[in-house]
Amino acid sequence: MAIIIDHDTVILVQGITGKQGSFHTAQMLAYGSRVAAGVSPGKGGQSVHGVPVFNTVAEAMEHYPITASIIFIPAPGVKDAAFEAISAGIKTLVIITEHVPLHDELDIMAYAEKWGVTVIGPNTFGIISPGQSKMGIMPNSIYQPGSVGVVARSGTLSYEIVYNLTAAGLGQSTVVGLGGDRVVGLSFVDVLRQFETDPNTEAIVLVGEIGGNAEEEASLYIKEMTKPVMAFLAGSSAPPGKRMGHAGAIIERGKGTFQSKVAALTAAGAKVANLPWEVPQLVKESLQKG
């Protein structure tokens, strides 16, 4: 099993005729994802890598039993694209786009909540259930099926950790990228809850970073979990008040510091690694204890 997406997920690509949409559609198809259709207004009737293109989401859904959509739309158009997908009945929405205006993100999350839609991102690498399906921009080759769930704010750091897990013989159930913006859909707690109830996930790796209070909120839930949680946090040497890449990775008024997050996670029972390549050993130790 996996969480959120699996081999039965039927995928729509919004922005499929653009450079990024086209490239990553090819990668998702190569991975075995069920990409059924794409949407690009004014370009209906074309095809991209054999995937039919429609002018609207509603038109695509008349032809295919689509359940999830991935957005490769420039930032100014993301809100309209998200609203169109949600209105048409899409239940899982992955927003890859960076630099989506904050007020647009707030509107998207409110509309998604109203209609019971799961939103991953914006500014995310996406989601992958190894061996089943991927919706995102992550490299295909580093993942393998297994029982370790991964939830991350950072894309490149999650790739490094997953690479080390795979090299150590530890496959993954699902890897979820929350997104690096201040306002995103799924939270650490949302994903941890799903991993806790997923029978095929035996251990969880949380990849966090400085800024915000997402890791502190996660620690409150980790205290209640029955499955072991390992963590790695980026930003140990970041100076206070500096934005370190992600819009959500800024320390303000002494909150969101590396030290506060490590302390909260450790107090909750999570094992915090000092270096990315230490994570596999912590996972192995936790599974042996279990």
Side-chain angles (χ1 to χ4, degrees), residues 34-264:
R34 296 179 63 187
V35 180
V39 165
S40 189
K43 297 185 179 180
Q46 299 183 17
S47 68
V48 176
H49 307 299
V51 176
V53 180
F54 296 89
N55 289 314
T56 68
V57 176
E59 187 182 357
M61 292 185 69
E62 288 176 3
H63 292 81
Y64 299 96
I66 296 161
T67 55
S69 179
I70 182 167
I71 291 179
F72 292 99
I73 301 285
V78 166
K79 177 180 171 179
D80 285 346
F83 271 49
E84 182 186 0
I86 294 166
S87 299
I90 294 288
K91 287 304 178 185
T92 300
L93 191 60
V94 178
I95 306 175
I96 301 295
T97 311
E98 295 183 82
H99 308 304
V100 176
L102 181 62
H103 53 83
D104 286 359
E105 293 177 336
L106 290 166
D107 289 345
I108 291 167
M109 300 319 157
Y111 196 57
E113 184 177 6
K114 177 182 177 181
W115 292 101
V117 174
T118 296
V119 178
I120 300 168
N123 192 10
T124 176
F125 62 85
I127 177 171
I128 182 169
S129 293
Q132 299 192 61
S133 183
K134 90 161 193 173
M135 296 179 67
I137 61 174
M138 64 288 284
N140 290 357
S141 61
I142 64 173
Y143 301 86
Q144 74 175 24
S147 62
V148 181
V150 180
V151 56
R153 286 172 70 185
S154 168
T156 51
L157 188 55
S158 78
Y159 304 159
E160 182 176 359
I161 287 174
V162 166
Y163 175 83
N164 282 289
L165 287 170
T166 296
L170 296 164
Q172 307 86 45
S173 54
T174 300
V175 180
V176 184
L178 299 180
D181 284 3
R182 289 194 174 206
V183 177
V184 294
L186 288 178
S187 68
F188 277 130
V189 175
D190 295 329
V191 179
L192 289 171
R193 281 203 180 101
Q194 294 198 50
F195 280 142
E196 173 75 355
T197 57
D198 176 35
N200 281 43
T201 299
E202 297 178 5
I204 299 106
V205 175
L206 182 152
V207 184
E209 61 188 18
I210 60 167
N213 64 346
E215 291 80 4
E216 288 88 346
E217 288 181 350
S219 69
L220 297 177
Y221 179 70
I222 289 170
K223 290 178 182 178
E224 306 171 14
M225 294 181 67
T226 62
K227 295 178 181 178
V229 178
M230 277 52 64
F232 178 79
L233 302 174
S236 60
S237 60
K242 296 290 185 181
R243 180 172 287 119
M244 309 304 288
H246 283 166
I250 183 169
I251 300 168
E252 296 175 301
R253 302 179 190 88
K255 296 182 179 178
T257 65
F258 178 81
Q259 291 79 11
S260 70
K261 293 177 183 295
V262 170

